[in-house]
Amino acid sequence: MNKERLLYLIEQYRENRCTPAEQNELYQLMSEEDVEDHILQLWDQLHSSTTTSMSEEESNQLFQRIVNSSLVQQDIEPAKQSTMGWFKRIGAVAAVAALILGTCTFLFLRRSVSTTDYAALPLDTAIIPGSKKAHVILEDGKSISLVGLESRDTIHTGSYLILNKGQEGISYHGKDGLANRNREVYNTLVTPLGGEYMVVLADGTKVWLNANSRLRYPTDFVTDVRTVELEGEAYFDVASLESGGKKVPFYVKTRTQTVEVLGTQFNINSYGGQITTTLVEGKVALRYKGVSKPCLLSPNYQLIYTEHTHTYEKKEIDPYYFTAWKDGSFAFDNTPLTAVMADISRWYNVEFNYETDVSDVYFSGKISKLESFESLLQTIQWTGSVKFKINGRRVTIRK
């Protein structure tokens, strides 16, 4: 193997300059039996050329979090917990998979990592990342696609305007500066698989809606409370509002949970049979059907409510890993593979099937949501944790 050629291809890949031929060549080199020795010999060059976008403090924090993981600790002798010893232990392919992407890092940690068996991935699969797309359903049932709207385009309705604000999504305004004060008129914003969108409600509250989600909301808030209904996942930046000298509460209703806030930022994920509420700042009160006493949540805490058992778990977390999706990244911290793939499935609109048990595979790291699907899967395969087989929009996963 030409070591300098390998280094060149890795740098090209990281800078997103690889041609299809170079990408194929890199995949072939990464599958050769002696690749680990060459990567370790190139360590200094790889390390200096692929971490320029990450500060020394960030690099150290990332490294320590991985090394201190229980999955890694059980496989490493204390005397071998140096940087080089650790990478030799988990396999150089896993190391270079992290180095190639710099801060956009995929790191799969699993016992007894194998780095010699890879399944070929077709490079012409028409699976592309999601994008900004949604449609809004008006009160009369009319559906309007928001795809392709030009910045500053306006949708005219009976008593209010929907203004397109480009990358900022849409916002609601009363006609001639006067909102409809007679009754609440509801709209519903819907995102498909592979889509996300942002809306600014009439009170100034900002809502980022993730893929395969629905948000039902008034076009103007005319009562002494503000209430919206959510299916799926959304991030809320709730505007503080007063009426008659009193703060107007804001409620977010999901299937079995109601969140009450006054002005704060939080994330709600209601996919599947759990509702996960993550608080970034402020305070919220969570209420559940059949439970009289509310559960209070403080910043950097999360509450996971399991619907079929009517139980909840409250824990301290780093909110970044649960809100990065709205800023264009996948981010996880020791997350089960099945949960990682569920997020990827919604964003790329694909279906994953598991041929083998992957309950011992966990993931830590982040990567851009604009990464090509093939590159994303190939990076995971380089770690040796799992392998993929693509058939149309169905992907089979096995060890």
Side-chain angles (χ1 to χ4, degrees):
M1 179 187 294
N2 185 321
K3 290 181 289 185
E4 294 305 317
R5 180 63 177 174
L6 175 62
L7 179 59
Y8 165 79
L9 291 173
I10 288 174
E11 290 174 338
Q12 289 291 99
Y13 188 98
R14 179 176 178 270
E15 298 299 326
N16 199 28
R17 295 198 301 260
C18 259
T19 66
E22 288 176 334
Q23 187 168 312
N24 280 328
E25 182 182 356
L26 178 58
Y27 291 166
Q28 290 298 319
L29 289 176
M30 290 302 297
S31 65
E32 292 187 9
E33 292 184 1
D34 61 349
V35 67
E36 292 185 23
D37 293 335
H38 290 298
I39 291 172
L40 292 174
Q41 291 173 27
L42 291 170
W43 169 256
D44 289 337
Q45 290 173 268
L46 286 169
H47 187 268
S48 64
S49 64
T50 59
T51 58
T52 54
S53 59
M54 182 183 291
S55 69
E56 181 178 358
E57 181 181 359
E58 291 172 327
S59 297
N60 290 335
Q61 289 176 349
L62 176 61
F63 176 74
Q64 289 302 321
R65 187 169 70 246
I66 297 166
V67 169
N68 292 332
S69 165
S70 59
L71 292 173
V72 176
Q73 287 287 337
Q74 294 176 25
D75 281 346
I76 305 178
E77 298 173 11
K80 294 185 178 181
Q81 289 186 5
S82 65
T83 303
M84 188 63 73
W86 178 71
F87 276 126
K88 285 183 178 179
R89 188 73 169 171
I90 68 167
V93 175
V96 81
L99 291 169
I100 287 173
L101 296 175
T103 58
C104 299
T105 305
F106 264 109
L107 295 173
F108 270 74
L109 307 178
R110 187 173 70 84
R111 299 182 188 179
S112 304
V113 175
S114 168
T115 59
T116 59
D117 188 13
Y118 300 92
L121 295 178
L123 298 178
D124 58 350
T125 304
I127 299 176
I128 60 175
S131 60
K132 180 184 170 185
K133 53 189 173 185
H135 65 273
V136 60
I137 302 174
L138 305 182
E139 186 184 34
D140 60 5
K142 181 181 179 181
S143 178
I144 300 176
S145 174
L146 302 176
V147 178
L149 286 183
E150 298 294 333
S151 181
R152 311 305 296 181
D153 276 357
T154 301
I155 300 173
H156 294 266
T157 65
S159 59
Y160 58 92
L161 304 175
I162 304 176
L163 176 64
N164 181 44
K165 303 179 69 176
Q167 292 302 315
E168 297 180 18
I170 57 173
S171 62
Y172 280 75
H173 307 270
K175 283 188 175 180
D176 299 325
L178 297 174
N180 176 13
R181 305 301 299 179
N182 297 321
R183 64 183 181 88
E184 287 189 332
V185 175
Y186 280 84
N187 281 186
T188 302
L189 183 66
V190 182
T191 56
L193 290 168
E196 61 184 16
Y197 218 83
M198 192 266 234
V199 57
V200 181
L201 304 181
D203 64 344
T205 293
K206 298 178 181 179
V207 186
W208 289 260
L209 201 60
N210 207 346
N212 195 28
S213 301
R214 299 170 65 94
L215 182 73
R216 184 174 181 266
Y217 50 90
T219 59
D220 185 38
F221 298 95
V222 301
T223 65
D224 57 356
V225 296
R226 298 173 287 171
T227 303
V228 301
E229 300 170 17
L230 171 68
E231 298 177 25
E233 183 171 20
Y235 182 92
F236 292 83
D237 184 353
V238 178
S240 181
L241 182 66
E242 291 190 1
S243 177
K246 295 182 178 180
K247 289 189 174 182
V248 180
F250 189 100
Y251 295 92
V252 181
K253 292 185 176 182
T254 54
R255 294 180 301 271
T256 54
Q257 173 183 280
T258 299
V259 177
E260 178 185 356
V261 302
L262 294 175
T264 186
Q265 295 185 38
F266 58 97
N267 192 86
I268 299 179
N269 182 328
S270 65
Y271 298 121
Q274 292 183 323
I275 303 175
T276 302
T277 305
T278 304
L279 186 59
V280 178
E281 64 179 50
K283 285 188 177 181
V284 298
L286 294 85
R287 302 178 186 276
Y288 301 95
K289 294 180 179 178
V291 179
S292 58
K293 187 178 180 180
C295 180
L296 301 180
L297 210 56
S298 300
N300 301 325
Y301 276 85
Q302 179 183 84
L303 191 140
I304 303 173
Y305 179 72
T306 302
E307 293 179 300
H308 76 278
T309 60
H310 305 290
T311 58
Y312 62 81
E313 175 189 7
K314 182 179 179 181
K315 58 183 179 180
E316 188 173 10
I317 47 80
D318 181 349
Y320 169 78
Y321 293 100
F322 304 90
T323 62
W325 64 267
K326 78 177 182 66
D327 297 316
S329 296
F330 291 113
F332 304 94
D333 185 19
N334 200 32
T335 303
L337 174 67
T338 52
V340 172
M341 290 304 170
D343 281 357
I344 293 173
S345 172
R346 283 188 290 268
W347 183 239
Y348 289 90
N349 191 14
V350 295
E351 177 184 340
F352 289 102
N353 298 312
Y354 297 87
E355 283 191 349
T356 53
D357 178 28
V358 295
S359 60
D360 61 343
V361 182
Y362 289 77
F363 167 82
S364 294
K366 70 174 183 178
I367 193 169
S368 169
K369 290 168 67 176
L370 298 180
E371 184 75 17
S372 75
F373 186 67
E374 292 78 12
S375 296
L376 185 155
L377 295 190
Q378 186 66 65
T379 302
I380 298 172
Q381 285 201 156
W382 281 344
T383 69
S385 297
V386 289
K387 292 177 284 189
F388 301 92
K389 181 179 180 181
I390 300 176
N391 182 14
R393 305 199 76 84
R394 293 185 177 182
V395 181
T396 301
I397 304 176
R398 63 181 177 86
K399 290 182 181 178

